[in-house]
Amino acid sequence: MNEEMNSLNSDTTFSDLICFSHLRWDFVYQRPQHLLSRFAKDHRVFVIEEPEFVDAAEASLKTQKKAENLFVLTPQLPHGMNSENVESTLRTLLDEIVGEQGIQDYVSWYYTPMMFAWSDHLEPVATVYDCMDELSGFKNAPPELQVREKDLFSAANLVFTGGHSLYQAKRHQHSSVHPFPSSIDKEHFAQAHEIEEEMPDQKEIGSPRIGFIGVIDERMDIELLSSLADLRPQWNFVMIGPVVKIDPSDLPAKENIYYLGGKLYDELPAYIAGWDVAMMPFALNDSTKFISPTKTPEYLAAGKPVVSTAITDVVSPYGDEGLVYIASTANEFITSIEMALEDDAAERHARVEEFLREMSWDNTFREMKALIDDVAASRLAAATSA
């Protein structure tokens, strides 16, 4: 491991990046993976996941090299360790990896405030809170999360938000909040336009196919999904993604609903290529109040008409621009799908291309990094002159 983690030569204002994430790297390929993989082209990136509790006498770090310069570190803690020992042990493991790998002039990057409790002693050149979602609104959110977030706000130099509605909610809580809505790897999803071969577990499903890709959890309106299946038994609804935080037995079991499970990121364009319409049947609740679904531009780039419930960051801009059908009831959703099945694909494609023209994870990354470089340069200059 030590031989693989050699420091990089870089002309930028920081050498390394330590990311603290509640999202497992191998769970779903999304915003963290898109951004951190780009950072790893010029910096060592260490992604520290939440701990796993295992049968072991002593704590350790499981280390996986996911790409050149990108390492995922998962603390392995003995079963039964109390909360006080957990935090002190995590702090010790963090200090050991920082020392052993000579991590210096680094950025601390947070996806969850909960991990700040045992990393607040670090002295990075910049602290970034990439606030993807309002985590306090999610099922099983720790009661102390909002207090920890206040602590992180106090320490952070920059706060990025996963959408404009979340920006509006956070912008008065910190002096430097910047909205960075979900972006798109256009070339990856545009492959769907050319793919003709069906995926094996989807090819026997009849048409029309209305599909969803994403985590199936408390954000899903399962009653709406059930109603759609009942209202149009001749349609087929394809659900792709892992089921978490809800009992799979609570999902509607209908002959025309197909749960295909999680798929690799590289496989997604091929699945979408086989659909007639893409859908986002999200519930309107605390967990979806501020979401900015990455799948919105992904579906569009793949060439599919999209129907969604009235998620704020989908209504504006996608609904307002006429790029996504917005529906509030099951009957409205059915009507919107019927319209989507008949819309002009060529005309929609031209409007989508224009809308997505400047949108990319590369641009998002460059804008974020410029802000970080400004902060890091200013702090390093201040430290040098002190």
Side-chain angles (χ1 to χ4, degrees):
M1 181 180 77
N2 291 340
E3 293 179 356
E4 294 180 334
M5 292 187 179
N6 294 327
S7 295
L8 298 178
N9 293 320
S10 176
D11 295 329
T12 58
T13 56
F14 62 96
S15 298
D16 302 321
L17 186 150
I18 307 175
C19 173
F20 299 89
S21 179
H22 62 295
L23 300 166
R24 299 288 180 196
W25 186 266
D26 292 328
F27 178 53
V28 175
Y29 199 94
Q30 53 187 312
R31 181 186 182 100
Q33 287 87 344
H34 280 294
L35 294 172
L36 297 173
S37 295
R38 285 164 170 79
F39 275 108
K41 293 178 181 178
D42 293 306
H43 309 274
R44 291 189 305 172
V45 174
F46 302 87
V47 182
I48 301 180
E49 298 184 330
E50 290 185 329
E52 295 176 340
F53 290 88
V54 299
D55 291 325
E58 296 182 352
S60 62
L61 271 178
K62 180 173 71 176
T63 302
Q64 303 174 76
K65 184 177 181 180
K66 295 299 182 179
E68 191 66 27
N69 309 318
L70 198 155
F71 305 90
V72 174
L73 312 175
T74 310
Q76 308 287 289
L77 303 184
H79 280 301
M81 182 177 285
N82 64 46
S83 58
E84 287 186 6
N85 285 341
V86 166
E87 289 198 355
S88 63
T89 300
L90 291 173
R91 187 180 296 257
T92 298
L93 291 173
L94 175 59
D95 289 344
E96 288 177 355
I97 195 68
V98 169
E100 289 174 2
Q101 301 307 322
I103 300 174
Q104 58 186 346
D105 295 336
Y106 57 92
V107 169
S108 288
W109 180 291
Y110 290 86
Y111 279 108
T112 171
M114 296 303 295
M115 298 171 82
F116 184 65
W118 46 269
S119 59
D120 59 353
H121 64 294
L122 294 178
E123 297 181 353
V125 295
T127 298
V128 176
Y129 177 24
D130 189 14
C131 184
M132 281 178 57
D133 297 295
E134 181 56 81
L135 295 178
S136 63
F138 281 41
K139 187 176 181 180
N140 302 326
E144 66 270 29
L145 192 148
Q146 290 179 311
V147 173
R148 296 284 171 83
E149 185 175 71
K150 288 181 181 178
D151 293 337
L152 181 52
F153 270 125
S154 297
N157 304 105
L158 295 166
V159 176
F160 302 147
T161 65
H164 286 287
S165 61
L166 193 54
Y167 166 76
Q168 293 298 331
K170 302 294 184 184
R171 67 189 183 96
H172 297 300
Q173 300 179 40
H174 192 275
S175 60
S176 189
V177 182
H178 307 267
F180 285 102
S182 296
S183 198
I184 174 71
D185 181 348
K186 290 193 290 286
E187 291 74 17
H188 181 67
F189 285 92
Q191 295 177 86
H193 291 273
E194 309 298 330
I195 295 173
E196 296 182 359
E197 185 176 352
E198 292 271 17
M199 297 302 283
D201 56 348
Q202 185 172 262
K203 68 180 180 179
E204 300 302 326
I205 300 173
S207 293
R209 294 181 195 147
I210 298 89
F212 169 86
I213 286 177
V215 179
I216 301 171
D217 57 14
E218 76 269 27
R219 293 171 292 181
M220 180 64 56
D221 190 336
I222 57 178
E223 292 182 2
L224 171 62
L225 179 60
S226 180
S227 295
L228 297 178
D230 288 338
L231 288 168
R232 290 295 184 273
Q234 72 274 28
W235 292 357
N236 295 290
F237 299 88
V238 179
M239 306 295 291
I240 293 175
V243 178
V244 300
K245 291 194 288 186
I246 58 174
D247 191 330
S249 65
D250 290 336
L251 295 174
K254 311 282 184 177
E255 290 187 357
N256 58 337
I257 302 179
Y258 299 84
Y259 301 98
L260 302 187
K263 305 298 177 184
L264 297 175
Y265 181 72
D266 287 346
E267 298 175 321
L268 300 185
Y271 279 98
I272 300 174
W275 301 348
D276 297 286
V277 176
M279 67 173 177
M280 296 190 291
F282 287 117
L284 301 181
N285 56 31
D286 287 345
S287 67
T288 62
K289 187 175 181 180
F290 299 110
I291 64 171
S292 175
T294 304
K295 59 187 61 60
T296 314
E298 292 174 348
Y299 289 159
L300 292 172
K304 300 302 172 182
V306 183
V307 181
S308 175
T309 49
I311 298 300
T312 300
D313 281 13
V314 177
V315 173
S316 178
Y318 296 99
D320 293 344
E321 294 288 336
L323 299 173
V324 170
Y325 295 90
I326 304 297
S328 298
T329 66
N331 285 325
E332 288 182 10
F333 217 98
I334 291 293
T335 299
S336 294
I337 293 174
E338 290 173 339
M339 294 171 63
L341 288 168
E342 299 297 328
D343 77 0
D344 186 327
E347 189 271 340
R348 182 185 68 248
H349 177 69
R351 290 188 293 114
V352 167
E353 284 291 299
E354 177 61 24
F355 183 85
L356 298 181
R357 186 165 54 89
E358 299 299 326
M359 185 184 294
S360 73
W361 284 115
D362 285 337
N363 287 344
T364 299
F365 162 74
R366 282 192 289 265
E367 292 175 21
M368 286 180 166
K369 188 171 183 303
L371 291 168
I372 296 170
D373 281 338
D374 285 346
V375 169
S378 177
R379 298 192 70 202
L380 287 169
T384 301
S385 62

